[in-house]
Amino acid sequence: MATTLAFDVYGTLIDTHGVSLALQGMVGTRAAEFSRHWRDKQLEYSFRRGLMQHYASFATCTRDALEYTCESLGLPLDVEQRQLLLDAYRTLPAFDDVKRGLENSRAAGFRMFAFSNGAADAVDTLLETAGIRGFFDDVVSCDEVKSFKPNPGVYAHFLRRAATPGASAWLVSSNPFDVIGAMSAGMRAAWVRRSPQAVFDPWGIAPSVTVAELTTLAAAIGVAD
């Protein structure tokens, strides 16, 4: 069976800080700080909802995190500004290395899926807008099982949907929690270390491979296989 790649979307393929341009017109020099707080809180809310088994969509986590960030940083954006930011989140750009990296992975013969906390329709729109939807056999959403990464059940759901055993499947993610979650669920995983300052969690679980960008992913997995 061909090796299957499960690509995380937000933060791995798609630059979640792509809202910074819109933010600059609203909060000026605090745009990067705002974007970082918003992303951190978005993930925190998904973790908490998953643990509580009190599911709400990733879009709801994103909206609630935006509300929190405005209050936390003392930047009371109006309703129209907040909606503009939420709309921008649906059309975020891909990182510069993504298209060529996906081309390399497709040429290597891998089966390729987008695997995301986001709802399938939102992810489809995001990937279409970024011009990369055609690389993927399908979109697998955690929304289908009403939970979030790194719940072991969502990785098991991916393996069922992709009709592949864990030994033949790789998660590709820039998020250490996602890499550790997938490996704990029996998959292999590639960590995309997009910044030299990024630190992997010291849990005694190392990524199967680490790459600085997606252009070298296919070669790294080929060596590991």
Side-chain angles (χ1 to χ4, degrees), residues 53-82:
Q53 298 181 13
H54 189 67
Y55 182 77
S57 71
F58 197 59
T60 298
C61 294
T62 302
R63 182 202 66 206
D64 291 350
L66 175 59
E67 297 291 329
Y68 179 92
T69 301
C70 289
E71 295 299 319
S72 176
L73 298 184
L75 296 168
L77 303 181
D78 62 34
V79 172
E80 182 179 356
Q81 288 174 314
R82 295 180 196 208

Short mmCIF file of all heavy atoms in Angstrom, two decimals, residues 53-82:
data_model
loop_
_atom_site.label_atom_id
_atom_site.label_comp_id
_atom_site.label_asym_id
_atom_site.label_seq_id
_atom_site.Cartn_x
_atom_site.Cartn_y
_atom_site.Cartn_z
N GLN A 53 -15.47 17.29 26.54
CA GLN A 53 -16.49 16.65 25.70
C GLN A 53 -17.71 17.55 25.56
O GLN A 53 -18.86 17.12 25.62
CB GLN A 53 -16.87 15.27 26.25
CG GLN A 53 -15.68 14.31 26.28
CD GLN A 53 -16.03 12.94 26.80
OE1 GLN A 53 -17.20 12.59 26.93
NE2 GLN A 53 -15.02 12.14 27.10
N HIS A 54 -17.40 18.84 25.36
CA HIS A 54 -18.43 19.87 25.18
C HIS A 54 -18.13 20.54 23.83
O HIS A 54 -17.61 21.65 23.77
CB HIS A 54 -18.38 20.87 26.33
CG HIS A 54 -19.51 21.84 26.34
ND1 HIS A 54 -20.81 21.48 26.58
CD2 HIS A 54 -19.53 23.18 26.11
CE1 HIS A 54 -21.59 22.54 26.51
NE2 HIS A 54 -20.83 23.58 26.23
N TYR A 55 -18.45 19.84 22.77
CA TYR A 55 -17.99 20.23 21.44
C TYR A 55 -18.69 21.48 20.91
O TYR A 55 -19.90 21.66 21.09
CB TYR A 55 -18.21 19.07 20.45
CG TYR A 55 -17.72 19.40 19.06
CD1 TYR A 55 -16.36 19.35 18.77
CD2 TYR A 55 -18.61 19.76 18.05
CE1 TYR A 55 -15.89 19.65 17.50
CE2 TYR A 55 -18.15 20.06 16.78
CZ TYR A 55 -16.79 20.01 16.51
OH TYR A 55 -16.33 20.31 15.25
N ALA A 56 -17.92 22.31 20.26
CA ALA A 56 -18.42 23.38 19.40
C ALA A 56 -17.42 23.44 18.25
O ALA A 56 -16.26 23.06 18.39
CB ALA A 56 -18.50 24.71 20.13
N SER A 57 -17.85 23.91 17.11
CA SER A 57 -17.01 23.88 15.92
C SER A 57 -15.74 24.70 16.09
O SER A 57 -15.66 25.59 16.95
CB SER A 57 -17.79 24.39 14.71
OG SER A 57 -17.99 25.79 14.83
N PHE A 58 -14.76 24.41 15.23
CA PHE A 58 -13.50 25.16 15.26
C PHE A 58 -13.76 26.63 14.94
O PHE A 58 -13.09 27.52 15.47
CB PHE A 58 -12.52 24.57 14.26
CG PHE A 58 -11.09 24.98 14.48
CD1 PHE A 58 -10.45 24.71 15.67
CD2 PHE A 58 -10.38 25.62 13.47
CE1 PHE A 58 -9.11 25.09 15.87
CE2 PHE A 58 -9.06 26.00 13.66
CZ PHE A 58 -8.43 25.74 14.87
N ALA A 59 -14.76 26.90 14.10
CA ALA A 59 -15.13 28.29 13.79
C ALA A 59 -15.61 29.00 15.05
O ALA A 59 -15.32 30.19 15.26
CB ALA A 59 -16.20 28.32 12.71
N THR A 60 -16.34 28.28 15.90
CA THR A 60 -16.80 28.87 17.16
C THR A 60 -15.62 29.13 18.09
O THR A 60 -15.55 30.19 18.73
CB THR A 60 -17.81 27.94 17.85
OG1 THR A 60 -18.94 27.78 17.01
CG2 THR A 60 -18.26 28.49 19.20
N CYS A 61 -14.68 28.20 18.16
CA CYS A 61 -13.47 28.41 18.95
C CYS A 61 -12.71 29.64 18.45
O CYS A 61 -12.18 30.44 19.25
CB CYS A 61 -12.56 27.19 18.90
SG CYS A 61 -13.24 25.70 19.67
N THR A 62 -12.65 29.81 17.14
CA THR A 62 -11.96 30.95 16.53
C THR A 62 -12.65 32.25 16.89
O THR A 62 -12.00 33.24 17.27
CB THR A 62 -11.90 30.78 15.01
OG1 THR A 62 -11.24 29.55 14.70
CG2 THR A 62 -11.16 31.93 14.35
N ARG A 63 -13.97 32.26 16.80
CA ARG A 63 -14.73 33.48 17.13
C ARG A 63 -14.59 33.83 18.60
O ARG A 63 -14.35 34.99 18.98
CB ARG A 63 -16.20 33.25 16.79
CG ARG A 63 -17.10 34.48 17.04
CD ARG A 63 -18.54 34.06 17.19
NE ARG A 63 -18.72 33.24 18.40
CZ ARG A 63 -19.68 32.34 18.55
NH1 ARG A 63 -20.53 32.11 17.57
NH2 ARG A 63 -19.77 31.65 19.68
N ASP A 64 -14.74 32.82 19.48
CA ASP A 64 -14.64 33.08 20.91
C ASP A 64 -13.24 33.55 21.29
O ASP A 64 -13.07 34.41 22.17
CB ASP A 64 -14.99 31.82 21.70
CG ASP A 64 -16.47 31.46 21.60
OD1 ASP A 64 -17.26 32.27 21.09
OD2 ASP A 64 -16.82 30.33 22.03
N ALA A 65 -12.22 32.98 20.64
CA ALA A 65 -10.85 33.40 20.91
C ALA A 65 -10.61 34.84 20.48
O ALA A 65 -9.86 35.58 21.12
CB ALA A 65 -9.87 32.47 20.19
N LEU A 66 -11.26 35.24 19.40
CA LEU A 66 -11.16 36.64 18.95
C LEU A 66 -11.77 37.57 19.99
O LEU A 66 -11.19 38.61 20.34
CB LEU A 66 -11.86 36.81 17.60
CG LEU A 66 -11.96 38.24 17.06
CD1 LEU A 66 -10.58 38.86 16.89
CD2 LEU A 66 -12.72 38.25 15.73
N GLU A 67 -12.94 37.20 20.51
CA GLU A 67 -13.60 38.01 21.53
C GLU A 67 -12.69 38.15 22.75
O GLU A 67 -12.52 39.24 23.30
CB GLU A 67 -14.93 37.36 21.92
CG GLU A 67 -15.96 37.26 20.82
CD GLU A 67 -16.51 38.61 20.40
OE1 GLU A 67 -16.58 39.51 21.25
OE2 GLU A 67 -16.87 38.76 19.22
N TYR A 68 -12.12 37.02 23.18
CA TYR A 68 -11.24 37.03 24.34
C TYR A 68 -10.02 37.93 24.11
O TYR A 68 -9.63 38.71 24.98
CB TYR A 68 -10.78 35.61 24.68
CG TYR A 68 -9.84 35.55 25.86
CD1 TYR A 68 -10.33 35.36 27.14
CD2 TYR A 68 -8.47 35.72 25.69
CE1 TYR A 68 -9.47 35.33 28.24
CE2 TYR A 68 -7.60 35.69 26.76
CZ TYR A 68 -8.11 35.49 28.04
OH TYR A 68 -7.25 35.48 29.12
N THR A 69 -9.43 37.81 22.93
CA THR A 69 -8.21 38.57 22.63
C THR A 69 -8.48 40.07 22.64
O THR A 69 -7.66 40.84 23.17
CB THR A 69 -7.64 38.14 21.27
OG1 THR A 69 -7.35 36.73 21.31
CG2 THR A 69 -6.36 38.89 20.93
N CYS A 70 -9.60 40.47 22.09
CA CYS A 70 -9.95 41.90 22.11
C CYS A 70 -10.02 42.41 23.55
O CYS A 70 -9.48 43.48 23.87
CB CYS A 70 -11.29 42.12 21.42
SG CYS A 70 -11.26 41.90 19.63
N GLU A 71 -10.67 41.64 24.42
CA GLU A 71 -10.81 42.06 25.81
C GLU A 71 -9.49 41.99 26.56
O GLU A 71 -9.12 42.89 27.31
CB GLU A 71 -11.86 41.18 26.51
CG GLU A 71 -13.26 41.32 25.98
CD GLU A 71 -13.81 42.74 26.12
OE1 GLU A 71 -13.57 43.36 27.18
OE2 GLU A 71 -14.46 43.21 25.17
N SER A 72 -8.74 40.91 26.34
CA SER A 72 -7.50 40.69 27.06
C SER A 72 -6.46 41.77 26.75
O SER A 72 -5.74 42.23 27.64
CB SER A 72 -6.94 39.32 26.70
OG SER A 72 -5.69 39.10 27.30
N LEU A 73 -6.38 42.17 25.48
CA LEU A 73 -5.39 43.16 25.08
C LEU A 73 -5.91 44.59 25.16
O LEU A 73 -5.19 45.54 24.84
CB LEU A 73 -4.91 42.87 23.65
CG LEU A 73 -4.19 41.53 23.44
CD1 LEU A 73 -3.69 41.41 22.00
CD2 LEU A 73 -3.04 41.35 24.42
N GLY A 74 -7.17 44.75 25.57
CA GLY A 74 -7.73 46.09 25.67
C GLY A 74 -7.88 46.77 24.33
O GLY A 74 -7.67 47.99 24.22
N LEU A 75 -8.25 45.98 23.31
CA LEU A 75 -8.42 46.51 21.96
C LEU A 75 -9.86 46.23 21.51
O LEU A 75 -10.12 45.22 20.86
CB LEU A 75 -7.41 45.86 21.01
CG LEU A 75 -5.94 46.16 21.31
CD1 LEU A 75 -5.02 45.24 20.52
CD2 LEU A 75 -5.61 47.62 21.02
N PRO A 76 -10.78 47.09 21.88
CA PRO A 76 -12.20 46.84 21.64
C PRO A 76 -12.61 47.08 20.18
O PRO A 76 -13.20 48.11 19.84
CB PRO A 76 -12.89 47.82 22.58
CG PRO A 76 -11.94 48.97 22.69
CD PRO A 76 -10.55 48.36 22.60
N LEU A 77 -12.32 46.12 19.32
CA LEU A 77 -12.70 46.24 17.91
C LEU A 77 -14.23 46.20 17.80
O LEU A 77 -14.90 45.48 18.56
CB LEU A 77 -12.08 45.10 17.10
CG LEU A 77 -10.56 44.97 17.14
CD1 LEU A 77 -10.11 43.81 16.26
CD2 LEU A 77 -9.88 46.26 16.72
N ASP A 78 -14.77 46.94 16.84
CA ASP A 78 -16.23 46.95 16.70
C ASP A 78 -16.70 45.70 15.95
O ASP A 78 -15.89 44.89 15.48
CB ASP A 78 -16.70 48.24 16.01
CG ASP A 78 -16.17 48.42 14.60
OD1 ASP A 78 -15.99 47.41 13.88
OD2 ASP A 78 -15.96 49.58 14.19
N VAL A 79 -18.01 45.54 15.87
CA VAL A 79 -18.60 44.34 15.28
C VAL A 79 -18.15 44.16 13.84
O VAL A 79 -17.83 43.04 13.40
CB VAL A 79 -20.14 44.41 15.36
CG1 VAL A 79 -20.77 43.27 14.58
CG2 VAL A 79 -20.60 44.37 16.81
N GLU A 80 -18.11 45.24 13.07
CA GLU A 80 -17.71 45.15 11.67
C GLU A 80 -16.25 44.72 11.54
O GLU A 80 -15.91 43.88 10.69
CB GLU A 80 -17.92 46.49 10.97
CG GLU A 80 -17.58 46.46 9.49
CD GLU A 80 -17.82 47.79 8.80
OE1 GLU A 80 -18.32 48.72 9.44
OE2 GLU A 80 -17.50 47.89 7.59
N GLN A 81 -15.38 45.26 12.36
CA GLN A 81 -13.96 44.88 12.32
C GLN A 81 -13.78 43.41 12.69
O GLN A 81 -13.00 42.69 12.05
CB GLN A 81 -13.16 45.76 13.28
CG GLN A 81 -12.98 47.20 12.82
CD GLN A 81 -12.30 48.05 13.86
OE1 GLN A 81 -12.64 48.01 15.05
NE2 GLN A 81 -11.31 48.83 13.44
N ARG A 82 -14.49 42.95 13.68
CA ARG A 82 -14.38 41.54 14.08
C ARG A 82 -14.86 40.62 12.97
O ARG A 82 -14.25 39.58 12.72
CB ARG A 82 -15.17 41.31 15.37
CG ARG A 82 -14.59 42.06 16.56
CD ARG A 82 -15.38 41.81 17.84
NE ARG A 82 -15.05 42.83 18.84
CZ ARG A 82 -15.10 42.66 20.14
NH1 ARG A 82 -15.47 41.49 20.63
NH2 ARG A 82 -14.80 43.62 20.97
#
